[in-house]
Amino acid sequence: MNPQSHDAAAQTATQTGEAPLPLAGIRVVEFTHMVMGPTCGMMLADLGAEVIKIEPVQGDNTRRLKGSGAGFFAMFNRNKKSLPVNLQDPRGIELVLKLIASADIVSENFKAGTMARLGLDYATLSRLNERLIYVSHKGFLPGPYQHRTALDEVVQMMGGLAYMTGPEGRPLRAGAAVNDIMGGMFGAMGAMAALLERARTGRGQEVQSALFENNVFLVGHHMMQYAVTGKPAAPMPSRISAWAVYDVFTVKDGEQIFLAVVSDTQWKLFCEAFGFADLAQDARLAGNNDRVEARSWLMPMLRERMAPLAAADIAGRFEAQGLPYAPIAKPQDLFDDPHLTATGGLADITLPQDGAGSGAGSGGAGKHAKVPLLPITLGGRRPGVRTDPPALGAQGAQLLETLGLSATQIAALTEAGVVGPVY
């Protein structure tokens, strides 16, 4: 950690009346795009680190994605500064090396060999700064697969997650970029562990996080199920549930609601709440395992009995008894979720003026939106949004000035295409 940076961060926090965030004074230089690498940087930034996003002079391609990628940039790049640099120009490399000289962490998620060709790999940079922590986000940890190109969907298919998610014979990817996001989280976790170890040893190290190994971790309990029982885990739609009632029910007016009854006590409360005295007294349903064995006839009966009831009525009765339930929400419904609204779980952001993250050119530029925060509290506070996802070059001029460049020199580098527009 740069002592001056830490002191400056602490002074700023004191002036605003807030305690400094845990990573205040830590400088991160990231060479990342898409989801995995940016997630790591976002976590470190949310926790107080200064994160400098090195982009191509035309901007990170993620800024211009449409369809399912339209939200990537807006979600994973808040609290960062942007510096567009041409890394194919030796002058661009010289600039980022100067930044890295003052950095605690470098983070990257490019194809194997890319950073080495640029002279920005860990082996090279660690010789310049033995305290540097270097986080690499890859498809696979070193081994027989490391040469392969991986995507979240690729590792879901080869790592058993798609098999577990879809029906028999129809592997289906999860509905979110779970490996990309969690891979970035594990990268951030590794970086923070390395910071702690550096405090003891004075030396940095390389941290590696990978999509495939992350996916294997996600299905580890299914692997252990096989190890314990000797029977393969069935895909989720055809699984043998550990509980009798653990399903989505279609009820009045076609609404759907998830209901769970996972203990004998809950079974009694459920039967009482809905007047199912006959089921409560049925010896065939006395214990949870008995009810699991009875699912073939019990579930059709319960579906028939619940079908005439409104979802709100069912939810009210489950709520009153402390039973687990859930409405079937769409992602866009969460903007108005009462709990998230009341607890400050969503923060206001403004999309960059260059249209980044809008997925529709400049049409989404400048729009206000709400974004989910890290799902943690620190001393009762939620680490929030200090700065919006950056427009291309945001705070880049200030960064270049800290490297000793004058306005004239910055203009000349911009004109020569060594850096993109900065301000």
Side-chain angles (χ1 to χ4, degrees):
M1 179 183 297
N2 184 325
Q4 292 181 339
S5 298
H6 183 268
D7 292 343
Q11 183 178 2
T12 299
T14 301
Q15 290 170 349
T16 59
E18 297 180 356
L21 288 163
L23 297 183
I26 295 295
R27 170 170 275 190
V28 181
V29 178
E30 70 166 32
F31 302 84
T32 71
H33 61 295
M34 300 300 281
V35 175
M36 190 182 186
T39 296
C40 175
M42 181 200 71
M43 288 192 64
L44 299 174
D46 281 9
L47 294 172
E50 177 195 28
V51 178
I52 302 165
K53 184 177 184 67
I54 305 298
E55 304 190 51
V57 291
Q58 71 274 17
D60 183 344
N61 287 334
T62 311
R63 292 178 177 272
R64 296 176 288 277
L65 288 180
K66 297 184 179 183
S68 62
F72 287 177
F73 193 90
M75 175 64 201
F76 301 112
N77 289 283
R78 61 180 181 242
N79 294 329
K80 299 180 184 179
K81 301 174 180 179
S82 168
L83 183 60
V85 180
N86 181 1
L87 296 179
Q88 305 306 315
D89 190 306
R91 292 169 293 180
I93 294 293
E94 182 180 356
L95 289 176
V96 298
L97 286 175
K98 287 181 179 179
L99 274 179
I100 291 170
S102 64
D104 299 279
I105 299 169
V106 165
S107 176
E108 62 89 15
N109 69 328
F110 284 91
K111 287 184 179 180
T114 300
M115 298 299 279
R117 286 194 298 272
L118 295 170
L120 298 174
D121 56 307
Y122 177 67
T124 301
L125 297 181
S126 63
R127 290 195 292 269
L128 303 176
N129 177 6
E130 67 175 12
R131 291 177 55 81
L132 184 69
I133 293 162
Y134 192 98
V135 187
S136 286
H137 302 87
K138 302 301 181 187
F140 306 90
L141 293 180
Y145 295 162
Q146 69 184 70
H147 66 283
R148 294 188 186 180
T149 299
L151 299 169
D152 200 313
E153 194 151 352
V154 168
V155 300
Q156 286 193 40
M157 295 293 171
M158 66 184 295
L161 183 58
Y163 171 81
M164 290 302 300
T165 303
E168 289 278 1
R170 292 174 54 196
L172 182 68
R173 68 155 291 161
V178 288
N179 292 296
D180 278 319
I181 294 169
M182 288 188 63
M185 291 170 60
F186 279 117
M189 188 185 305
M192 289 184 279
L195 284 172
L196 285 173
E197 188 164 7
R198 189 182 72 174
R200 295 195 301 269
T201 67
R203 296 185 63 85
Q205 60 185 285
E206 183 174 15
V207 173
Q208 295 179 321
S209 176
L211 293 174
F212 178 62
E213 281 76 6
N214 181 84
N215 189 96
V216 173
F217 188 79
L218 284 174
V219 301
H221 60 297
H222 297 309
M223 296 168 64
M224 291 302 98
Q225 177 184 339
Y226 179 78
V228 170
T229 67
K231 298 178 180 179
M236 295 302 285
S238 57
R239 74 196 185 286
I240 300 175
S241 175
W243 303 283
V245 182
Y246 202 76
D247 287 271
V248 175
F249 287 74
T250 300
V251 294
K252 187 177 180 180
D253 297 328
E255 289 189 280
Q256 291 186 308
I257 186 169
F258 173 80
L259 304 176
V261 180
V262 298
S263 71
D264 294 341
T265 299
Q266 288 187 3
W267 174 248
K268 293 176 183 177
L269 293 171
F270 169 71
C271 291
E272 180 181 337
F274 291 91
F276 297 158
D278 59 324
L279 300 182
Q281 296 165 8
D282 192 325
R284 296 173 299 171
L285 305 175
N288 177 72
N289 289 343
D290 298 320
R291 293 189 294 276
V292 170
E293 290 291 330
R295 274 179 60 90
S296 61
W297 60 266
L298 175 62
M299 287 306 297
M301 179 188 296
L302 288 179
R303 292 188 189 283
E304 182 178 355
R305 293 189 182 190
M306 303 298 281
L309 303 177
D313 177 22
I314 297 171
R317 299 194 207 188
F318 265 64
E319 184 90 23
Q321 298 293 343
L323 297 172
Y325 74 96
I328 310 303
K330 301 180 180 69
Q332 61 268 27
D333 298 336
L334 301 179
F335 287 117
D336 300 313
D337 183 89
H339 180 82
L340 294 175
T341 301
T343 59
L346 301 176
D348 292 316
I349 64 167
T350 301
L351 301 181
Q353 291 299 315
D354 57 13
S358 70
S362 60
K367 282 186 177 179
H368 295 280
K370 291 185 179 294
V371 67
L373 297 180
L374 292 185
I376 60 173
T377 62
L378 297 171
R381 61 176 172 162
R382 295 286 292 270
V385 174
R386 303 187 305 283
T387 60
D388 293 320
L392 183 62
Q395 301 187 62
Q398 179 187 25
L399 288 168
L400 293 175
E401 288 169 2
T402 64
L403 299 181
L405 276 67
S406 67
T408 301
Q409 290 173 310
I410 294 172
L413 289 173
T414 302
E415 179 68 23
V418 177
V419 298
V422 294
Y423 63 97

